[in-house]
Amino acid sequence: MRKLSKLLALLLALTMVVSLAACGSSSGNTSAAPAEPGATSDAAEPAPADSAEPTDTAEPAPTSDPNTPLVVGYSPFNSKFSPFFSETAYDQDASAMTQLALLTSDRTGAVIEKGINGETVNYNGTDYTYYGPADLTITENDDGTVFYDFTLRDDLKFSDGEPLTIDDVIFSMYVLCDPTYDGSSTLFAQPILGIDEYRSGMDTLLNLLFAAGRDNTDFTFWDEATQTEFWGKYDAATTALAQEIVDYCVGAGYNEEGDITGAAANWGFGIPENGTIEDFAAALEEAYGADVAGMISTENAGSSVDDLFPGLEQYSGAGIETGESAPNIEGIQKIDDYNLRVVLTQVDATAIYQLGVNIAPLHYYGDASLFDYDNNSFGFPKGDLSSVRAKTTQPMGAGPYKFLKFENGVINYEANEYYFKGEPKTKYINFQQCTTDDDKLNGVTTGTIDITDPSFSNDTIAAIEAANGGELDGAVVTTNTVDNLGYGYIGMNANVTNVGGDPSSEASKNLRRAFATIFCVYRDVAIDSYYGDRASVINYPISNTSWAAPRPADDGYRIAFSVDAEGNDIYTSGMSDEEKYAAALEASLGFFEAAGYTVEDGQLTAAPEGASLEYTFWIPADGSGDHPAFMIVNEAKNALATIGMNLIIKDLTNSSELWDALDAQQVAMWAAAWGATVDPDMSQIYFSGDDTHAAGGSNYEYAIDDPELNQLILDARASTDQAYRKAMYKACLDIIIDWAVEVPTYQRQNAIIFSTERVNMDTVTPDITTFYGWMSEIENTVLN
């Protein structure tokens, strides 16, 4: 039910709740490990059973009954526990318990390049040694191609005792690169040699039916009965979805009975006055087209895809040959049973994170009799992932635990005796579904839940402190906090907020700098008021969790929007808050004047062409001001009013209004937050496109269009030198600040809480970080 969950997400600053596993799960889900070219699997001794432990620290012995399960509280699951098709963070964690990824990472999210023998990395003064299932060597060639050479350990087994070989890795990669694959991985988008030739000449029946349209008369690839049946099912699904939404809105009191137009509007869709259910269904079709699963998953008011479109997979999962294609992916090259080379046609710094696939068992998810590498058969018929999809609710792999069952809201796991780091010390783990944050917190304080991740709100803090006698860490609850993988911001659309219709002009930038300057000065008081110690103000539009984020000690670091129109510092040391507010307002007035506004006696009296004396700020604060940035905007509104600028605050109760208006380029200013990834690639948000590259999918929000910025983004992505990339990204950030389309506001924290009474805290993963969660060493965790 996305419209409601979207609202909740924005109230929490639009960033995902960090999953309990974070990025570096115990299956090593986010990064890599290197091998010398031509190395064989017997060239190195197997890693010891433990992983990423301080090199001089002995492991504590478990003291609890080994049959007592460790219970982890989770938000509701979606039952997609597949290493290929899981979607929500909670389903991904459920799958990760059973999986072993090809690559692993350290506590900073950096790639581990020697997984077999282990690699020691210092973090916060402690040396930790990390192990993985493979080594990796990356070779950049003179012709521009890049070799990724993987060597697997030769003693790996899946949880059923079957050996794990390079065939399982190849099978997993081919699933993710299949023309009909529609999961979240984008391995197929990497510049792997021959990937386009392999994926061409085939599409899903769903896409082809939609492209042909309802009135199609060419039945080369399907018959008329199939077409008629599909459109009947499609119309039934969209009509049922529209009716479900209307019924929900009426039942919740948002709309009167029969007010279909109003209900559609509340869900973010515009239909004619006195519209019908059919009008609403048509609007859903126009918005989503062939993405039926996405439409239902996103817009539903309680139903699932299977409820509204049973049998969808016969269309979305069926590959139809429409032309010629290559029989294999030339760049995925088997060397022997434990060695693989992947060839990229060019350097792409993000490739390493996509190549670190979960190694799924060919014999379980595919058909071992259909794997014949030399004859271009890879464990399943090309275009038919039915065997893989059939196991979506029953994961299996080489991870630390075996999936037993999911029933009555509980996933049951048993330790994997074949796990390469040693059989986990706690035999059983249960993932317990919790409906609310209160359920999570109460479960820990009453002893029914051992580990969970409540929203780190003021209410949660108060409850933890009450249980512990005033502390976040105490005899009842132990609290671990990490920075969220994302950050809050204030955005300005350059196409809407400009002078003379030229978003890139210096006058337009000065207009946006005028607002940015006054927003910035109120960040400290607002973020402290809303979050307290749970968040900090940031000065660049990038999460502080990233290695690319500028640090205060770096050359060129400065407070965001802290110079005036003449390039002079706005603030001086020793200024009081009130003096800073006055200085910011004076600087803001200077920027307005530089933008072409008429200023008389300290007042704005006329706006230049294309600009205005009145702007609207959109903020999804539930109609009550409940948003981290609301105080910033409200204080800025009051300050700007004293110089003649009217800032109207549009406090939204339904966040979908913001997204729809952003899509339509109707929003001048707004507040939200970005989620982030391990790699700081900026192309999705800031790249505006060129002759050979499409614009990033979210570029329309800021509408920034700067050729220099585009080239810097491409240059950074085309290098694996981290120092070089950091310098390129600092230059990118400076350009983004110069355009004044984004005001960085805050970096917040997430929390994992443990039952101090039940969990032996000495056995929990030490030095938990954003990229290395408590599950990263789950094999060591035991109960008291």
Side-chain angles (χ1 to χ4, degrees):
M1 194 161 149
R2 181 171 173 209
K3 293 300 179 181
L4 295 186
S5 64
K6 217 173 176 185
L7 171 61
L8 175 60
L10 219 71
L11 294 177
L12 295 175
L14 270 174
T15 46
M16 293 190 305
V17 174
V18 164
S19 71
L20 289 174
C23 291
S25 75
S26 58
S27 59
N29 207 23
T30 58
S31 22
E36 296 303 319
T40 57
S41 58
D42 59 359
E45 291 297 321
D50 27 71
S51 168
E53 285 295 308
T55 54
D56 57 353
T57 302
E59 296 179 41
T63 58
S64 64
D65 179 351
N67 292 320
T68 300
L70 185 151
V71 180
V72 186
Y74 266 88
S75 294
F77 300 107
N78 199 31
S79 297
K80 289 188 175 182
F81 307 136
S82 168
F84 301 107
F85 295 107
S86 58
E87 295 175 351
T88 70
Y90 301 114
D91 280 8
Q92 287 167 1
D93 277 8
S95 171
M97 288 282 284
T98 68
Q99 299 302 308
L100 179 64
L102 186 58
L103 308 174
T104 193
S105 63
D106 67 13
R107 283 166 169 80
T108 67
V111 169
I112 295 299
E113 297 185 346
K114 294 294 178 185
I116 293 178
N117 279 335
E119 187 171 321
T120 299
V121 181
N122 188 277
Y123 180 81
N124 276 355
T126 301
D127 286 337
Y128 293 101
T129 302
Y130 301 86
Y131 299 95
D135 285 350
L136 168 67
T137 294
I138 303 172
T139 305
E140 297 183 21
N141 303 306
D142 292 340
D143 64 358
T145 62
V146 185
F147 293 166
Y148 287 78
D149 289 305
F150 295 94
T151 295
L152 279 178
R153 290 173 54 138
D154 62 359
D155 59 349
L156 298 170
K157 292 183 178 181
F158 291 107
S159 61
D160 62 356
E162 288 292 312
L164 185 160
T165 71
I166 214 70
D167 289 352
D168 299 289
V169 177
I170 293 172
F171 162 75
S172 300
M173 288 184 172
Y174 267 89
V175 169
L176 298 173
C177 292
D178 191 78
T180 66
Y181 175 73
D182 58 357
S184 59
S185 170
T186 57
L187 177 64
F188 60 82
Q190 292 299 318
I192 301 172
L193 179 65
I195 187 70
D196 292 337
E197 292 82 354
Y198 178 76
R199 287 172 56 84
S200 65
M202 178 176 283
D203 205 343
T204 65
L205 178 58
L206 174 63
N207 287 339
L208 292 171
L209 282 164
F210 225 91
R214 296 171 183 268
D215 300 325
N216 170 64
T217 57
D218 179 0
F219 299 109
T220 303
F221 301 116
W222 60 84
D223 56 31
E224 187 173 5
T226 297
Q227 179 172 296
T228 301
E229 180 185 52
F230 167 75
W231 285 110
K233 289 183 175 180
Y234 184 91
D235 289 341
T238 53
T239 301
L241 177 58
Q243 187 64 62
E244 174 180 287
I245 294 168
V246 172
D247 291 344
Y248 175 84
C249 290
V250 171
Y254 300 139
N255 298 96
E256 297 293 330
E257 186 74 38
D259 183 13
I260 297 171
T261 298
N266 279 333
W267 223 251
F269 292 89
I271 64 174
E273 190 174 352
N274 300 317
T276 65
I277 286 294
E278 289 72 24
D279 292 328
F280 193 178
L284 289 165
E285 177 180 341
E286 182 179 358
Y288 284 92
D291 186 11
V292 182
M295 173 177 64
I296 297 173
S297 298
T298 300
E299 306 296 348
N300 79 85
S303 294
S304 67
V305 175
D306 289 339
D307 293 333
L308 298 182
F309 202 132
L312 176 62
E313 286 183 1
Q314 76 182 84
Y315 304 102
S316 63
I320 304 295
E321 291 189 31
T322 59
E324 294 184 357
S325 64
N328 59 38
I329 302 170
E330 186 179 351
I332 297 179
Q333 302 172 359
K334 178 179 178 179
I335 307 303
D336 57 35
D337 286 347
Y338 297 99
N339 286 274
L340 171 72
R341 169 171 287 177
V342 178
V343 181
L344 269 60
T345 58
Q346 63 188 58
V347 174
D348 190 315
T350 68
I352 192 66
Y353 302 104
Q354 294 297 327
L355 290 171
V357 300
N358 284 310
I359 310 171
L362 159 65
H363 69 276
Y364 179 73
Y365 285 99
D367 184 341
S369 69
L370 295 179
F371 191 93
D372 184 348
Y373 176 83
D374 292 331
N375 289 296
N376 301 317
S377 184
F378 304 103
F380 60 95
K382 183 179 179 180
D384 181 4
L385 298 180
S386 57
S387 66
V388 180
R389 297 179 192 276
K391 306 296 197 309
T392 293
T393 62
Q394 301 282 326
M396 203 263 275
Y401 280 85
K402 297 183 289 187
F403 177 94
L404 299 179
K405 62 181 179 179
F406 174 45
E407 62 182 27
N408 301 320
V410 179
I411 304 176
N412 299 121
Y413 297 98
E414 181 180 12
N416 173 14
E417 62 185 299
Y418 301 109
Y419 186 47
F420 85 105
K421 290 193 276 183
E423 181 176 359
K425 297 177 177 62
T426 295
K427 188 172 182 62
Y428 299 106
I429 288 183
N430 295 342
F431 279 12
Q432 171 71 56
Q433 214 165 245
C434 299
T435 305
T436 67
D437 274 350
D438 285 344
D439 292 338
K440 292 180 178 181
L441 187 57
N442 292 337
V444 171
T445 57
T446 60
T448 59
I449 291 175
D450 302 314
I451 305 171
T452 192
D453 65 337
S455 173
F456 202 35
S457 64
N458 289 330
D459 289 343
T460 298
I461 291 174
I464 293 173
E465 290 177 341
N468 281 337
E471 302 293 334
L472 283 176
D473 288 336
V476 177
V477 178
T478 297
T479 305
N480 189 287
T481 60
V482 297
D483 281 342
N484 181 60
L485 190 59
Y487 65 95
Y489 72 90
I490 287 171
M492 284 182 270
N493 185 294
N495 285 342
V496 181
T497 314
N498 64 58
V499 175
D502 182 359
S504 65
S505 71
E506 197 64 21
S508 294
K509 292 177 181 178
N510 281 327
L511 168 59
R512 296 189 293 268
R513 291 166 186 155
F515 286 104
T517 299
I518 203 68
F519 291 145
C520 270
V521 76
Y522 293 108
R523 293 178 304 165
D524 287 331
V525 64
I527 299 309
D528 182 67
S529 174
Y530 193 89
Y531 280 119
D533 293 336
R534 292 172 288 127
S536 58
V537 169
I538 59 175
N539 288 303
Y540 289 88
I542 187 172
S543 172
N544 275 348
T545 60
S546 175
W547 52 261
R551 309 298 176 189
D554 292 349
D555 289 340
Y557 183 95
R558 65 181 313 121
I559 304 299
F561 301 102
S562 60
V563 297
D564 62 20
E566 303 299 324
N568 301 312
D569 289 338
I570 297 172
Y571 312 110
T572 59
S573 61
M575 271 188 171
S576 67
D577 288 344
E578 293 302 323
E579 288 170 335
K580 289 180 181 178
Y581 302 151
L585 186 61
E586 182 180 353
S588 179
L589 186 64
F591 279 121
F592 280 122
E593 188 168 20
Y597 280 75
T598 301
V599 178
E600 297 177 0
D601 298 325
Q603 293 288 304
L604 303 174
T605 59
E609 180 185 357
S612 176
L613 289 171
E614 181 175 280
Y615 285 90
T616 298
F617 192 108
W618 298 52
I619 184 166
D622 205 23
S624 62
D626 186 11
H627 190 283
F630 191 85
M631 181 184 286
I632 295 174
V633 184
N634 196 54
E635 292 296 328
K637 169 187 171 66
N638 294 335
L640 289 169
T642 66
I643 60 171
M645 174 60 69
N646 185 21
L647 185 64
I648 301 169
I649 300 176
K650 189 179 180 73
D651 187 347
L652 305 170
T653 57
N654 186 345
S655 64
S656 64
E657 293 181 45
L658 172 59
W659 307 122
D660 293 336
L662 278 171
D663 287 343
Q665 299 282 286
Q666 296 173 345
V667 180
M669 308 170 195
W670 72 97
W674 289 114
T677 59
V678 177
D679 189 85
D681 175 49
M682 297 180 175
S683 56
Q684 179 70 12
I685 301 172
Y686 307 109
F687 188 77
S688 61
D690 58 22
D691 293 340
T692 56
H693 303 86
S698 297
N699 175 266
Y700 69 92
E701 294 194 14
Y702 299 137
I704 187 170
D705 185 2
D706 190 292
E708 182 183 358
L709 176 61
N710 286 345
Q711 191 58 52
L712 287 167
I713 291 171
L714 292 175
D715 290 346
R717 185 164 182 155
S719 173
T720 55
D721 183 326
Q722 190 174 98
Y724 171 81
R725 295 185 74 206
K726 181 169 182 176
M728 292 299 98
Y729 287 133
K730 174 57 166 63
C732 289
L733 294 168
D734 287 341
I735 291 174
I736 295 163
I737 292 291
D738 180 66
W739 270 69
V741 291
E742 185 174 4
V743 178
T745 52
Y746 64 88
Q747 171 79 61
R748 68 176 176 84
Q749 292 183 322
N750 295 313
I752 306 297
I753 63 172
F754 302 83
S755 168
T756 313
E757 298 171 324
R758 286 171 52 85
V759 179
N760 183 337
M761 293 306 299
D762 290 335
T763 67
V764 172
T765 303
D767 273 336
I768 293 171
T769 73
T770 305
F771 303 106
Y772 201 80
W774 76 272
M775 280 175 61
S776 296
E777 297 175 19
I778 196 171
E779 69 275 5
N780 296 324
T781 303
V782 299
L783 296 171
N784 288 319

